[in-house]
mmCIF file of all heavy atoms in Angstrom:
data_model
loop_
_atom_site.group_PDB
_atom_site.id
_atom_site.type_symbol
_atom_site.label_atom_id
_atom_site.label_comp_id
_atom_site.label_asym_id
_atom_site.label_seq_id
_atom_site.Cartn_x
_atom_site.Cartn_y
_atom_site.Cartn_z
ATOM 1 N N ASN A 30 77.025 -74.764 154.706
ATOM 2 C CA ASN A 30 78.341 -74.153 154.804
ATOM 3 C C ASN A 30 79.320 -74.953 153.955
ATOM 4 O O ASN A 30 80.148 -75.700 154.456
ATOM 5 C CB ASN A 30 78.785 -74.123 156.271
ATOM 6 C CG ASN A 30 79.866 -73.103 156.508
ATOM 7 O OD1 ASN A 30 80.212 -72.341 155.621
ATOM 8 N ND2 ASN A 30 80.375 -73.086 157.725
ATOM 9 N N GLY A 31 79.201 -74.793 152.654
ATOM 10 C CA GLY A 31 80.011 -75.571 151.696
ATOM 11 C C GLY A 31 79.175 -76.645 151.062
ATOM 12 O O GLY A 31 78.893 -77.663 151.715
ATOM 13 N N ALA A 32 78.692 -76.443 149.867
ATOM 14 C CA ALA A 32 77.839 -77.385 149.181
ATOM 15 C C ALA A 32 78.604 -78.641 148.830
ATOM 16 O O ALA A 32 79.818 -78.627 148.674
ATOM 17 C CB ALA A 32 77.228 -76.757 147.922
ATOM 18 N N ASP A 33 77.899 -79.752 148.675
ATOM 19 C CA ASP A 33 78.461 -81.054 148.317
ATOM 20 C C ASP A 33 78.420 -81.204 146.817
ATOM 21 O O ASP A 33 77.443 -81.710 146.253
ATOM 22 C CB ASP A 33 77.668 -82.153 149.021
ATOM 23 C CG ASP A 33 78.222 -83.553 148.747
ATOM 24 O OD1 ASP A 33 79.247 -83.672 148.069
ATOM 25 O OD2 ASP A 33 77.582 -84.519 149.224
ATOM 26 N N TYR A 34 79.430 -80.698 146.143
ATOM 27 C CA TYR A 34 79.512 -80.760 144.661
ATOM 28 C C TYR A 34 79.946 -82.182 144.257
ATOM 29 O O TYR A 34 80.914 -82.706 144.765
ATOM 30 C CB TYR A 34 80.461 -79.717 144.110
ATOM 31 C CG TYR A 34 80.026 -78.308 144.392
ATOM 32 C CD1 TYR A 34 80.459 -77.624 145.525
ATOM 33 C CD2 TYR A 34 79.135 -77.674 143.537
ATOM 34 C CE1 TYR A 34 80.037 -76.335 145.789
ATOM 35 C CE2 TYR A 34 78.706 -76.369 143.793
ATOM 36 C CZ TYR A 34 79.158 -75.719 144.921
ATOM 37 O OH TYR A 34 78.742 -74.440 145.183
ATOM 38 N N ARG A 35 79.206 -82.748 143.301
ATOM 39 C CA ARG A 35 79.497 -84.106 142.801
ATOM 40 C C ARG A 35 79.480 -84.137 141.279
ATOM 41 O O ARG A 35 79.116 -83.157 140.666
ATOM 42 C CB ARG A 35 78.507 -85.111 143.372
ATOM 43 C CG ARG A 35 78.585 -85.242 144.876
ATOM 44 C CD ARG A 35 77.685 -86.377 145.389
ATOM 45 N NE ARG A 35 77.657 -86.392 146.831
ATOM 46 C CZ ARG A 35 76.910 -87.226 147.535
ATOM 47 N NH1 ARG A 35 76.113 -88.096 146.917
ATOM 48 N NH2 ARG A 35 76.936 -87.198 148.852
ATOM 49 N N MET A 36 79.777 -85.303 140.737
ATOM 50 C CA MET A 36 79.770 -85.520 139.288
ATOM 51 C C MET A 36 80.632 -84.478 138.583
ATOM 52 O O MET A 36 80.180 -83.746 137.720
ATOM 53 C CB MET A 36 78.359 -85.566 138.757
ATOM 54 C CG MET A 36 77.532 -86.715 139.280
ATOM 55 S SD MET A 36 75.901 -86.668 138.561
ATOM 56 C CE MET A 36 75.076 -87.866 139.588
ATOM 57 N N LYS A 37 81.856 -84.366 139.071
ATOM 58 C CA LYS A 37 82.850 -83.409 138.523
ATOM 59 C C LYS A 37 82.345 -81.967 138.605
ATOM 60 O O LYS A 37 82.553 -81.169 137.717
ATOM 61 C CB LYS A 37 83.227 -83.789 137.094
ATOM 62 C CG LYS A 37 83.920 -85.138 137.001
ATOM 63 C CD LYS A 37 84.341 -85.449 135.608
ATOM 64 C CE LYS A 37 85.012 -86.820 135.589
ATOM 65 N NZ LYS A 37 85.477 -87.189 134.256
ATOM 66 N N GLY A 38 81.621 -81.677 139.715
ATOM 67 C CA GLY A 38 81.162 -80.329 139.952
ATOM 68 C C GLY A 38 79.925 -79.917 139.202
ATOM 69 O O GLY A 38 79.550 -78.760 139.196
ATOM 70 N N LYS A 39 79.234 -80.877 138.579
ATOM 71 C CA LYS A 39 78.052 -80.544 137.767
ATOM 72 C C LYS A 39 76.754 -80.515 138.545
ATOM 73 O O LYS A 39 75.759 -79.976 138.061
ATOM 74 C CB LYS A 39 77.927 -81.536 136.596
ATOM 75 C CG LYS A 39 79.069 -81.353 135.596
ATOM 76 C CD LYS A 39 78.859 -82.277 134.410
ATOM 77 C CE LYS A 39 80.031 -82.060 133.440
ATOM 78 N NZ LYS A 39 79.917 -82.933 132.286
ATOM 79 N N VAL A 40 76.750 -81.122 139.745
ATOM 80 C CA VAL A 40 75.537 -81.115 140.569
ATOM 81 C C VAL A 40 75.909 -80.830 142.029
ATOM 82 O O VAL A 40 77.054 -81.026 142.458
ATOM 83 C CB VAL A 40 74.792 -82.467 140.524
ATOM 84 C CG1 VAL A 40 74.373 -82.803 139.122
ATOM 85 C CG2 VAL A 40 75.591 -83.608 141.143
ATOM 86 N N VAL A 41 74.924 -80.342 142.750
ATOM 87 C CA VAL A 41 75.028 -80.186 144.208
ATOM 88 C C VAL A 41 74.139 -81.284 144.808
ATOM 89 O O VAL A 41 72.983 -81.394 144.453
ATOM 90 C CB VAL A 41 74.558 -78.799 144.667
ATOM 91 C CG1 VAL A 41 74.421 -78.738 146.169
ATOM 92 C CG2 VAL A 41 75.498 -77.754 144.166
ATOM 93 N N ALA A 42 74.733 -82.106 145.664
ATOM 94 C CA ALA A 42 73.991 -83.163 146.319
ATOM 95 C C ALA A 42 73.408 -82.630 147.622
ATOM 96 O O ALA A 42 74.101 -81.936 148.370
ATOM 97 C CB ALA A 42 74.880 -84.367 146.577
ATOM 98 N N PHE A 43 72.132 -82.977 147.873
ATOM 99 C CA PHE A 43 71.506 -82.572 149.118
ATOM 100 C C PHE A 43 70.536 -83.670 149.560
ATOM 101 O O PHE A 43 69.710 -84.136 148.783
ATOM 102 C CB PHE A 43 70.760 -81.238 148.960
ATOM 103 C CG PHE A 43 70.284 -80.684 150.255
ATOM 104 C CD1 PHE A 43 71.174 -79.957 151.061
ATOM 105 C CD2 PHE A 43 69.000 -80.901 150.707
ATOM 106 C CE1 PHE A 43 70.754 -79.475 152.287
ATOM 107 C CE2 PHE A 43 68.572 -80.396 151.921
ATOM 108 C CZ PHE A 43 69.458 -79.683 152.719
ATOM 109 N N GLU A 44 70.696 -84.094 150.822
ATOM 110 C CA GLU A 44 69.900 -85.198 151.326
ATOM 111 C C GLU A 44 68.689 -84.689 152.126
ATOM 112 O O GLU A 44 68.802 -83.775 152.936
ATOM 113 C CB GLU A 44 70.763 -86.062 152.261
ATOM 114 C CG GLU A 44 70.102 -87.329 152.728
ATOM 115 C CD GLU A 44 71.034 -88.202 153.539
ATOM 116 O OE1 GLU A 44 72.247 -88.224 153.245
ATOM 117 O OE2 GLU A 44 70.554 -88.876 154.442
ATOM 118 N N LEU A 45 67.537 -85.276 151.852
ATOM 119 C CA LEU A 45 66.308 -84.988 152.612
ATOM 120 C C LEU A 45 65.706 -86.291 153.116
ATOM 121 O O LEU A 45 65.778 -87.313 152.433
ATOM 122 C CB LEU A 45 65.302 -84.270 151.750
ATOM 123 C CG LEU A 45 65.463 -82.782 151.547
ATOM 124 C CD1 LEU A 45 64.417 -82.230 150.572
ATOM 125 C CD2 LEU A 45 65.334 -82.018 152.871
ATOM 126 N N GLU A 46 65.107 -86.225 154.281
ATOM 127 C CA GLU A 46 64.449 -87.382 154.854
ATOM 128 C C GLU A 46 63.185 -87.718 154.064
ATOM 129 O O GLU A 46 62.544 -86.850 153.507
ATOM 130 C CB GLU A 46 64.067 -87.134 156.320
ATOM 131 C CG GLU A 46 65.239 -87.010 157.242
ATOM 132 C CD GLU A 46 64.792 -86.724 158.669
ATOM 133 O OE1 GLU A 46 63.624 -87.001 159.021
ATOM 134 O OE2 GLU A 46 65.624 -86.219 159.430
ATOM 135 N N LEU A 47 62.844 -89.010 154.073
ATOM 136 C CA LEU A 47 61.695 -89.488 153.336
ATOM 137 C C LEU A 47 60.401 -88.786 153.763
ATOM 138 O O LEU A 47 59.574 -88.427 152.924
ATOM 139 C CB LEU A 47 61.527 -91.022 153.526
ATOM 140 C CG LEU A 47 60.334 -91.636 152.811
ATOM 141 C CD1 LEU A 47 60.448 -91.485 151.317
ATOM 142 C CD2 LEU A 47 60.187 -93.106 153.194
ATOM 143 N N ARG A 48 60.246 -88.507 155.036
ATOM 144 C CA ARG A 48 59.018 -87.864 155.501
ATOM 145 C C ARG A 48 58.840 -86.493 154.888
ATOM 146 O O ARG A 48 57.717 -86.052 154.587
ATOM 147 C CB ARG A 48 58.959 -87.817 157.024
ATOM 148 C CG ARG A 48 59.997 -86.960 157.680
ATOM 149 C CD ARG A 48 59.991 -87.097 159.206
ATOM 150 N NE ARG A 48 61.016 -86.323 159.831
ATOM 151 C CZ ARG A 48 60.814 -85.155 160.426
ATOM 152 N NH1 ARG A 48 59.579 -84.654 160.519
ATOM 153 N NH2 ARG A 48 61.799 -84.492 160.951
ATOM 154 N N HIS A 49 59.931 -85.771 154.673
ATOM 155 C CA HIS A 49 59.824 -84.455 154.017
ATOM 156 C C HIS A 49 59.527 -84.621 152.523
ATOM 157 O O HIS A 49 58.694 -83.887 151.983
ATOM 158 C CB HIS A 49 61.111 -83.664 154.206
ATOM 159 C CG HIS A 49 61.430 -83.355 155.641
ATOM 160 N ND1 HIS A 49 60.588 -82.610 156.416
ATOM 161 C CD2 HIS A 49 62.479 -83.712 156.398
ATOM 162 C CE1 HIS A 49 61.133 -82.496 157.613
ATOM 163 N NE2 HIS A 49 62.246 -83.173 157.660
ATOM 164 N N LEU A 50 60.174 -85.570 151.884
ATOM 165 C CA LEU A 50 59.976 -85.777 150.476
ATOM 166 C C LEU A 50 58.533 -86.201 150.163
ATOM 167 O O LEU A 50 57.908 -85.686 149.244
ATOM 168 C CB LEU A 50 60.928 -86.837 149.939
ATOM 169 C CG LEU A 50 62.414 -86.449 149.943
ATOM 170 C CD1 LEU A 50 63.265 -87.651 149.585
ATOM 171 C CD2 LEU A 50 62.661 -85.309 149.005
ATOM 172 N N THR A 51 57.987 -87.118 150.968
ATOM 173 C CA THR A 51 56.612 -87.552 150.737
ATOM 174 C C THR A 51 55.646 -86.426 151.035
ATOM 175 O O THR A 51 54.617 -86.297 150.346
ATOM 176 C CB THR A 51 56.267 -88.820 151.552
ATOM 177 O OG1 THR A 51 56.506 -88.567 152.922
ATOM 178 C CG2 THR A 51 57.045 -90.004 151.089
ATOM 179 N N TYR A 52 55.907 -85.606 152.004
ATOM 180 C CA TYR A 52 55.048 -84.460 152.309
ATOM 181 C C TYR A 52 55.022 -83.511 151.101
ATOM 182 O O TYR A 52 53.967 -83.129 150.625
ATOM 183 C CB TYR A 52 55.547 -83.722 153.552
ATOM 184 C CG TYR A 52 54.869 -82.401 153.779
ATOM 185 C CD1 TYR A 52 53.539 -82.347 154.205
ATOM 186 C CD2 TYR A 52 55.529 -81.213 153.547
ATOM 187 C CE1 TYR A 52 52.906 -81.113 154.386
ATOM 188 C CE2 TYR A 52 54.925 -79.998 153.776
ATOM 189 C CZ TYR A 52 53.608 -79.954 154.177
ATOM 190 O OH TYR A 52 52.995 -78.743 154.356
ATOM 191 N N PHE A 53 56.184 -83.128 150.618
ATOM 192 C CA PHE A 53 56.252 -82.193 149.495
ATOM 193 C C PHE A 53 55.627 -82.790 148.234
ATOM 194 O O PHE A 53 54.947 -82.106 147.481
ATOM 195 C CB PHE A 53 57.694 -81.780 149.197
ATOM 196 C CG PHE A 53 58.309 -80.955 150.267
ATOM 197 C CD1 PHE A 53 59.605 -81.193 150.683
ATOM 198 C CD2 PHE A 53 57.621 -79.914 150.866
ATOM 199 C CE1 PHE A 53 60.202 -80.419 151.685
ATOM 200 C CE2 PHE A 53 58.200 -79.124 151.867
ATOM 201 C CZ PHE A 53 59.489 -79.391 152.272
ATOM 202 N N CYS A 54 55.835 -84.083 148.011
ATOM 203 C CA CYS A 54 55.357 -84.733 146.790
ATOM 204 C C CYS A 54 53.877 -85.075 146.841
ATOM 205 O O CYS A 54 53.170 -84.915 145.855
ATOM 206 C CB CYS A 54 56.205 -85.998 146.549
ATOM 207 S SG CYS A 54 56.005 -86.669 144.912
ATOM 208 N N ASP A 55 53.409 -85.559 147.980
ATOM 209 C CA ASP A 55 52.064 -86.100 148.075
ATOM 210 C C ASP A 55 51.030 -85.162 148.706
ATOM 211 O O ASP A 55 49.851 -85.242 148.386
ATOM 212 C CB ASP A 55 52.045 -87.403 148.869
ATOM 213 C CG ASP A 55 52.913 -88.472 148.248
ATOM 214 O OD1 ASP A 55 53.212 -88.395 147.035
ATOM 215 O OD2 ASP A 55 53.330 -89.403 148.969
ATOM 216 N N GLU A 56 51.452 -84.304 149.586
ATOM 217 C CA GLU A 56 50.496 -83.462 150.341
ATOM 218 C C GLU A 56 50.380 -82.042 149.835
ATOM 219 O O GLU A 56 49.305 -81.471 149.837
ATOM 220 C CB GLU A 56 50.896 -83.434 151.821
ATOM 221 C CG GLU A 56 50.969 -84.809 152.480
ATOM 222 C CD GLU A 56 49.653 -85.584 152.462
ATOM 223 O OE1 GLU A 56 48.609 -84.929 152.586
ATOM 224 O OE2 GLU A 56 49.683 -86.795 152.340
ATOM 225 N N VAL A 57 51.486 -81.461 149.431
ATOM 226 C CA VAL A 57 51.500 -80.065 149.007
ATOM 227 C C VAL A 57 50.997 -80.002 147.570
ATOM 228 O O VAL A 57 51.529 -80.656 146.696
ATOM 229 C CB VAL A 57 52.915 -79.439 149.138
ATOM 230 C CG1 VAL A 57 52.893 -77.992 148.676
ATOM 231 C CG2 VAL A 57 53.417 -79.565 150.558
ATOM 232 N N LYS A 58 49.950 -79.203 147.354
ATOM 233 C CA LYS A 58 49.329 -79.106 146.048
ATOM 234 C C LYS A 58 49.981 -78.077 145.124
ATOM 235 O O LYS A 58 49.818 -78.124 143.916
ATOM 236 C CB LYS A 58 47.845 -78.787 146.192
ATOM 237 C CG LYS A 58 47.086 -79.786 147.028
ATOM 238 C CD LYS A 58 47.229 -81.192 146.502
ATOM 239 C CE LYS A 58 46.492 -82.186 147.409
ATOM 240 N NZ LYS A 58 47.048 -83.499 147.372
#
């Protein structure tokens, strides 16, 4: 509900927990 725009509006910042990142990166083929 309202993205976190950063770097003068050039990116949207979104935080994910490490367990989700490692799952997506290491487990999902």
Side-chain angles (χ1 to χ4, degrees):
N30 200 6
D33 182 3
Y34 296 93
R35 295 187 186 177
M36 297 181 191
K37 297 183 180 180
K39 293 183 180 179
V40 301
V41 170
F43 190 82
E44 187 176 327
L45 279 175
E46 292 179 20
L47 179 63
R48 65 187 178 103
H49 297 298
L50 294 172
T51 56
Y52 170 72
F53 292 136
C54 194
D55 299 339
E56 303 298 325
V57 180
K58 303 303 179 207

